[in-house]
Amino acid sequence: MDDALLVVLLLADATVRVATPLVLAAFAALYSERAGVVDIGLEGKMLAGAFFAAAVASSTGSPWLGLGAAVAASVALALVHGFACIIHKGNQVVSGMAINILVAGLAPTLAYAWFRQGGQTPLLPGEARLPQVHLPGVEALSGIPVLGPVYRELIDDANVLIWLTVLLVVATHWVFTRSRFGLRLRAVGENPSAVDTAGLSVTRLRYQAVVITGVLTGIAGAYLSTAHGAGFVRDMTAGKGYLALAALIFGKWRPWPTLFACLLFAFTDAVQVRLQGVPLPVVGVIPVQFIQMLPYVLTVLLLAGFVGRAVAPRASGVPYVKER
Amino acid sequence: MAQDAAQGMTGRGFGRPGDVPGWVGYALLPLLNLLAALVLSGLVILVIGEKPLDVLALLVTEAVGYPEAIGYTLYYTTSYIFTGLAVAIAFHCGLFNIGGEGQAYLGGLGAGLVGLALTGWPWPVAALGAVAVSALFGAVWAAVPGWLQAKRGSHIVITTIMFNFIAAAIMTYLLVDVLIRPGSQSPETREFDPGVWLPAMDRALGWIGVAIPASPLNLSFLWALACCALFYLFLWRTRWGYEIRTVGRNERAAVYAGISPARNIILAMAISGALAGFVGVNEIMGVQHRILLNFTGGVGFVGIAVALMGRNHPVGIILAALLFGVLAQGGGQVSFEYPTVNRELVMVIQGLVILFAGALENLFKPRVEALFRRRDGRTAHG
């Protein structure tokens, strides 16, 4: 009984840890895409964040400076994206792709020049990594069945960025349903000319959205290299940016369903690690690769309308031109 | 949205005073964008502590300075021509095919299965079979997203990205669990029978008495050039090509003209996938002679840059593919000579070229065009 509970808790814990960067990146894209700017450059911005977080944390010993550097680098890339898509009405998909490829080359190049360790940063010591939040009362509660283990395994000693992500989810819900800024962002993604007519600057709103995207992807990258991992390694995002995008689509561009999709994807990943080589009833051993491709297949099916319908913000991907 | 990129050769719209000469659109602006990308790449080289001009000089020498290097450069160029054409035909239909990577990967599977199956057959049969089956595999892998876009309204950019990941997972499964050489640890198939290998160019030219040094360059280079010619004839000289371009320019007008957008979207994607699949012929039948993991190494993404730089025209694509071939070969060699430079520097340059030639293509355009219009205006008014 207790063993089963422990397995469930360990799975849940792994799910939360894998889901955190996905949630951060997917919510980052939520801001951008609800404002009408398509962002497939999440991968690149996360990778830049991961590199600068680890590089600065390694050089200065402070994970907080690393976090700051990650956010700065990621926002800089977001501004490039904004410059191309908002000011110059460039193709948003091409711009996102360019940023992904650029950073995939730039991060190891800089890492090599900086640390001379084959395109990665040195292993970070404990104090250069973002800390976990130790909660009081673990011993006191550990005697209580169910609640004790849940508190000990799942809630205590979670990374500070996991808590930040929880806050972000709640705040995002509030922003998009209650705040004036959020409602305007949504409007600018659906009908920019109406927003323009109302006397608000489409350019300004979209820039604000893109900068928020940069901040959040930077944090997501920092989580990968200085909280979850202990240093930057080449291609450490490994498609998480695209997976986050898939989660956003799966969540139909809404906060709570997007969170759910991230947790689902992360859960398949956690299960996949546990299921390797374990025969299941009826189907036998499922090859890992099939579980890994599940999120992508689900997204394709969803987009094809076989599992509900995902409707993107109407103006997403379309540069706004006054007086069209 | 891909239409903007597809219509790269604008510059002479209706009602615009003072025509801008055509070469501004397809020569001067791409060169300016390329220059901007190179200047920024130079800055990156400065940042990591090397001299940009020295690196550039070495890069060019190592790419085209001696016959063997040219062979390697053209071998990279071959794959880039295939993926560049693949991205370009989708662009002409108003579609953005990011799935070149997955399509090339499955094309390689198709070519490889032919290589494995046809042991003992003469190589021309194997070559034809590899071309046909790799085209089929690539076409199917691209036509499904095409069908989903045309009939179910799912976004082609997202589905092709997802299909890249699905292709990677399938290939890993096949190579680890199914096709792996018995008794082997590394996930790859057995080597094909040497009789079915696509002859390398040095061997092929040896038959007619021309001696060149050995390199991975093989006969698929000629097939790539043939594809360029076929691409031109198809797109600008046949009815089907006309229909595809019409759908890309204006879907609604196409419907009024009795052209089915759905049919053309699927057709264009199938051709696009087939072209990307030919990467498998070059890599698997021409060079590796076995199916192995990740042999595509980003060629699908480079294809985007090639198509954008080449303005979606076969001649431009050959030139752009040559440029990226030089970068790939020269960049790889530079990383041997300079301890601080590694191969990824090439990706930095590729990314910057995509950024400037694709996303920021309007950066210099208004100013340069205004310059030419003003000059025209002045001469008109005397």
Side-chain angles (χ1 to χ4, degrees), chain A residues 88 90-91 93 95 97-98 101-102 104-106 108-109 112-113 116 234 242 246 249 287 289 296 300 303-304 309, chain B residues 1 48 96 148 152 154 158 161-162 165-166 169 172-173 301 308 339-340 342 344 347-348 351-352 354-355 359 362-363:
Chain A
H88 286 283
N91 187 315
V93 175
S95 169
M97 256 346 265
I101 295 176
L102 175 65
L106 201 54
T109 302
Y112 194 82
R116 304 284 155 90
R234 183 183 300 242
Y242 297 110
I249 295 162
Q289 291 83 13
Y296 306 114
V300 169
L303 279 176
R309 198 102 186 91
Chain B
M1 100 188 106
I48 61 175
F96 193 11
L148 289 170
R152 312 285 313 183
S154 34
I158 305 293
I161 290 176
M162 299 301 140
F165 285 105
I166 298 172
T172 310
Y173 166 69
F301 299 125
L308 289 171
T340 48
N342 60 10
E344 275 88 358
M347 291 179 76
V348 176
L352 287 170
I354 296 179
L355 189 66
N362 296 333
L363 187 61

Side-chain angles (χ1 to χ4, degrees), chain B residues 84-240:
Chain B
L85 291 175
V87 174
I89 193 163
F91 266 149
H92 277 291
C93 196
L95 304 164
F96 193 11
N97 178 13
I98 302 196
E101 197 69 8
Q103 292 143 20
Y105 212 4
L106 281 197
L109 173 67
L113 290 179
V114 170
L116 288 172
L118 292 186
T119 301
W121 291 65
W123 73 262
V125 178
L128 284 178
V131 165
V133 178
S134 63
L136 180 73
F137 276 44
V140 168
W141 204 247
V144 176
W147 180 83
L148 289 170
Q149 155 104 14
K151 299 282 190 188
R152 312 285 313 183
S154 34
H155 202 298
I156 198 125
V157 169
I158 305 293
T159 37
T160 47
I161 290 176
M162 299 301 140
F163 267 58
N164 282 343
F165 285 105
I166 298 172
I170 291 177
M171 289 295 280
T172 310
Y173 166 69
L174 287 177
L175 286 172
V176 171
D177 286 349
V178 183
L179 293 172
I180 191 167
R181 185 162 54 103
S184 162
Q185 291 298 314
S186 72
E188 53 186 45
T189 65
R190 70 172 166 84
E191 197 170 61
F192 311 149
D193 172 39
V196 300
W197 294 1
L198 197 60
M201 203 59 113
D202 53 297
R203 213 177 119 215
L205 286 179
W207 296 332
I208 54 171
V210 181
I212 60 164
S215 74
L217 181 66
N218 58 76
L219 282 184
S220 51
F221 178 63
L222 300 179
W223 176 234
L225 294 181
C227 284
C228 288
L230 292 173
F231 182 95
Y232 176 80
L233 292 175
F234 176 78
L235 216 47
W236 282 280
R237 290 289 180 272
T238 70
R239 192 185 146 163
W240 285 11

Side-chain angles (χ1 to χ4, degrees), chain B:
Chain B
M1 100 188 106
Q3 267 123 314
D4 294 340
Q7 295 166 0
M9 293 167 82
T10 45
R12 40 179 77 222
F14 289 109
R16 284 198 199 164
D19 257 4
V20 176
W23 59 268
V24 172
Y26 59 78
L28 182 61
L29 282 172
L31 280 179
L32 274 179
N33 288 325
L34 180 66
L35 201 66
L38 286 182
V39 168
L40 271 185
S41 311
L43 281 179
V44 172
I45 297 173
L46 265 183
V47 165
I48 61 175
E50 299 294 344
K51 296 194 186 76
L53 286 180
D54 290 0
V55 172
L56 183 72
L58 179 67
L59 190 149
V60 172
T61 318
E62 290 293 339
V64 294
Y66 48 97
E68 192 192 356
I70 295 175
Y72 273 89
T73 298
L74 290 179
Y75 146 68
Y76 288 115
T77 304
T78 307
S79 287
Y80 296 156
I81 289 178
F82 286 135
T83 51
L85 291 175
V87 174
I89 193 163
F91 266 149
H92 277 291
C93 196
L95 304 164
F96 193 11
N97 178 13
I98 302 196
E101 197 69 8
Q103 292 143 20
Y105 212 4
L106 281 197
L109 173 67
L113 290 179
V114 170
L116 288 172
L118 292 186
T119 301
W121 291 65
W123 73 262
V125 178
L128 284 178
V131 165
V133 178
S134 63
L136 180 73
F137 276 44
V140 168
W141 204 247
V144 176
W147 180 83
L148 289 170
Q149 155 104 14
K151 299 282 190 188
R152 312 285 313 183
S154 34
H155 202 298
I156 198 125
V157 169
I158 305 293
T159 37
T160 47
I161 290 176
M162 299 301 140
F163 267 58
N164 282 343
F165 285 105
I166 298 172
I170 291 177
M171 289 295 280
T172 310
Y173 166 69
L174 287 177
L175 286 172
V176 171
D177 286 349
V178 183
L179 293 172
I180 191 167
R181 185 162 54 103
S184 162
Q185 291 298 314
S186 72
E188 53 186 45
T189 65
R190 70 172 166 84
E191 197 170 61
F192 311 149
D193 172 39
V196 300
W197 294 1
L198 197 60
M201 203 59 113
D202 53 297
R203 213 177 119 215
L205 286 179
W207 296 332
I208 54 171
V210 181
I212 60 164
S215 74
L217 181 66
N218 58 76
L219 282 184
S220 51
F221 178 63
L222 300 179
W223 176 234
L225 294 181
C227 284
C228 288
L230 292 173
F231 182 95
Y232 176 80
L233 292 175
F234 176 78
L235 216 47
W236 282 280
R237 290 289 180 272
T238 70
R239 192 185 146 163
W240 285 11
Y242 178 77
E243 288 193 2
I244 285 177
R245 287 186 296 125
T246 311
V247 171
R249 279 289 164 116
N250 190 334
E251 209 172 303
R252 215 182 293 173
V255 173
Y256 280 118
I259 298 169
S260 154
R263 204 184 66 106
N264 281 287
I265 286 171
I266 298 169
L267 177 67
M269 279 306 284
I271 297 175
S272 178
L275 286 164
F278 293 147
V279 170
V281 179
N282 182 32
E283 282 290 336
I284 298 298
M285 285 302 263
V287 181
Q288 307 290 355
H289 310 130
R290 65 176 73 99
I291 315 176
L292 66 174
L293 278 187
N294 300 328
F295 68 84
T296 47
V299 282
F301 299 125
V302 180
I304 300 167
V306 170
L308 289 171
M309 273 298 295
R311 290 294 192 252
N312 301 310
H313 190 281
V315 175
I317 285 171
I318 293 176
L319 293 174
L322 207 53
L323 171 74
F324 281 94
V326 166
L327 283 179
Q329 165 60 15
Q333 293 296 311
V334 165
S335 62
F336 286 119
E337 302 277 329
Y338 283 90
T340 48
V341 175
N342 60 10
R343 275 199 82 93
E344 275 88 358
L345 186 64
V346 176
M347 291 179 76
V348 176
I349 304 177
Q350 284 169 359
L352 287 170
V353 169
I354 296 179
L355 189 66
F356 279 95
L360 283 170
E361 62 170 351
N362 296 333
L363 187 61
F364 303 115
K365 201 167 155 187
R367 249 156 283 177
V368 172
E369 285 184 356
L371 202 70
F372 277 89
R373 283 208 198 92
R374 207 162 48 225
R375 228 182 44 185
D376 271 19
R378 217 178 290 148
T379 48
H381 292 294

